[in-house]
Amino acid sequence: MTQSCVFGPVPSRRLGRSLGVDLVPLKTCTYDCVYCQLGRTTHKTADRKEWAPVKDILEELEGRIPASRPDYITLAGSGEPTLFSRMGELIDRMRSITGIPIALLTNGSLLWRPDVRSQLMNVDLVIPSLDAGDETMFRAVNRPHESVSFRTMVSGLIDFRREFGEQYWLEVFLLAGYTAVEAEVSKLVELVRRIGPDRVQLNTVARPPAEDFAIGVSRERMVEFASMFDPPAEVIGDFERTSREGEFASSQEEMLNMLRRRPCSTEDIAAGLGMHRHEVAKHLEDLSASHLLRHTLVNGELHYAAAR
């Protein structure tokens, strides 16, 4: 990985100001989810490796912490972060340089592996995802690597819950025409009961997805589905618009100025403004929610422009 591994802080709908640590190259993942905001997976793999030197990640992180004042340091990635093979060592060494809580966002696909679970025991919060209630829907929505079955994925979520003593939140992602029907949600409710997370959060498409047939669900319908869980699930809302103040608002205006001149893809914006693609995605979401952007497909790739 030649690009910076540390990005943000960015406003997170769940974690406040999140300083991200990107552990894998774009788009290296065990899944190829139809709704992914980063586009199609170009390197689908279940092989773990050290994608960037631990020493380099720590040096960059240590240099960014004092000025950023994050609420969380979030291990994420331009793909699946648990594919980073030295995760345990990285977390332990992060603990030695800061007391800021550490969160992990993961698709949960590798939690069936004892070596992966053992490396995650020293984080404060783990948020895996669960997008399907059976093998057929799992294949349709997540399009996993051939080595990952629905049964092993679910067993990993259950086993990790038994072993992990800190906060465990489960994200359930709903798609119109796929899982946003009562019969499919009922399957998810039963799986959640077996897994036993501390919190369940319902999410849906909020940014342009990898596939144009991945459609979001209305907030009203999401609230109805949330009531099917026991206790009721939370519906993830937009990050409060206090994010418009200061540095974040300045970056948005800079991005708008760029998009007033010509349409750009996410990668164009990241390269042109020297930003991380995750930061770009947060800005695009915020600007789109304010109806300041329009987007079109150009040769199969989303391009953004300032709204007329």
Side-chain angles (χ1 to χ4, degrees), residues 36-183:
C36 185
Q37 68 188 40
L38 296 177
R40 294 293 304 270
T41 293
T42 53
H43 184 198
K44 188 188 291 187
T45 182
D47 295 330
R48 306 181 73 214
K49 62 183 287 187
E50 184 183 3
W51 299 97
V54 168
K55 177 177 178 291
D56 292 353
I57 297 172
L58 291 168
E59 286 178 355
E60 187 180 355
L61 181 64
E62 196 165 13
R64 294 285 295 277
I65 288 174
S68 59
R69 306 184 309 280
D71 297 308
Y72 276 92
I73 295 172
T74 305
L75 303 175
S78 299
E80 172 49 38
T82 58
L83 287 170
F84 189 77
S85 59
R86 295 177 66 187
M87 179 77 83
E89 179 186 349
L90 175 65
I91 293 167
D92 291 343
R93 292 177 65 180
M94 286 170 61
R95 289 289 191 199
S96 70
I97 64 175
T98 180
I100 296 169
I102 301 170
L104 169 71
L105 304 183
T106 173
N107 63 25
S109 60
L110 297 181
L111 293 179
W112 60 272
R113 293 180 50 158
D115 61 326
V116 173
R117 297 199 303 271
S118 68
Q119 290 182 10
L120 304 181
M121 291 297 144
N122 206 19
V123 299
D124 299 282
L125 168 63
V126 175
I127 309 179
S129 59
L130 177 67
D131 302 332
D134 59 32
E135 180 77 34
T136 299
M137 194 63 72
F138 179 56
R139 296 284 161 188
V141 172
N142 298 122
R143 301 189 295 203
H145 185 271
E146 60 186 10
S147 68
V148 182
S149 71
F150 177 75
R151 182 176 180 178
T152 58
M153 179 273 294
V154 171
S155 70
L157 293 175
I158 294 171
D159 289 344
F160 186 70
R161 168 73 288 183
R162 290 171 178 163
E163 298 171 10
F164 185 63
E166 303 301 327
Q167 283 292 298
Y168 183 107
W169 303 352
L170 189 66
E171 178 184 71
V172 175
F173 203 96
L174 298 181
L175 287 174
Y178 283 82
T179 49
V181 294
E182 289 191 11

Side-chain angles (χ1 to χ4, degrees), residues 199-229:
R199 296 165 70 171
V200 179
Q201 299 176 321
L202 295 193
N203 203 354
T204 191
V205 177
R207 304 169 192 150
E211 307 289 2
D212 57 10
F213 56 77
I215 307 297
V217 184
S218 71
R219 182 169 183 83
E220 293 74 19
R221 194 71 172 128
M222 292 285 282
V223 171
E224 292 177 8
F225 288 133
S227 67
M228 295 175 63
F229 293 81

Side-chain angles (χ1 to χ4, degrees), residues 232-289:
E234 306 167 53
V235 177
I236 298 177
D238 291 338
F239 186 83
E240 293 181 3
R241 293 303 184 230
T242 50
S243 62
R244 292 191 175 281
E245 299 176 3
E247 181 182 354
F248 198 74
S250 297
S251 297
Q252 286 189 354
E253 185 58 35
E254 191 176 7
M255 184 182 294
L256 272 176
N257 285 335
M258 182 180 187
L259 297 178
R260 288 183 184 113
R261 290 168 172 80
R262 64 183 178 91
C264 296
S265 67
T266 300
E267 292 300 312
D268 292 336
I269 299 168
L273 298 181
M275 298 170 66
H276 191 280
R277 62 184 68 89
H278 283 287
E279 293 178 272
V280 172
K282 289 289 184 181
H283 285 298
L284 291 174
E285 178 182 3
D286 203 55
L287 291 169
S288 295

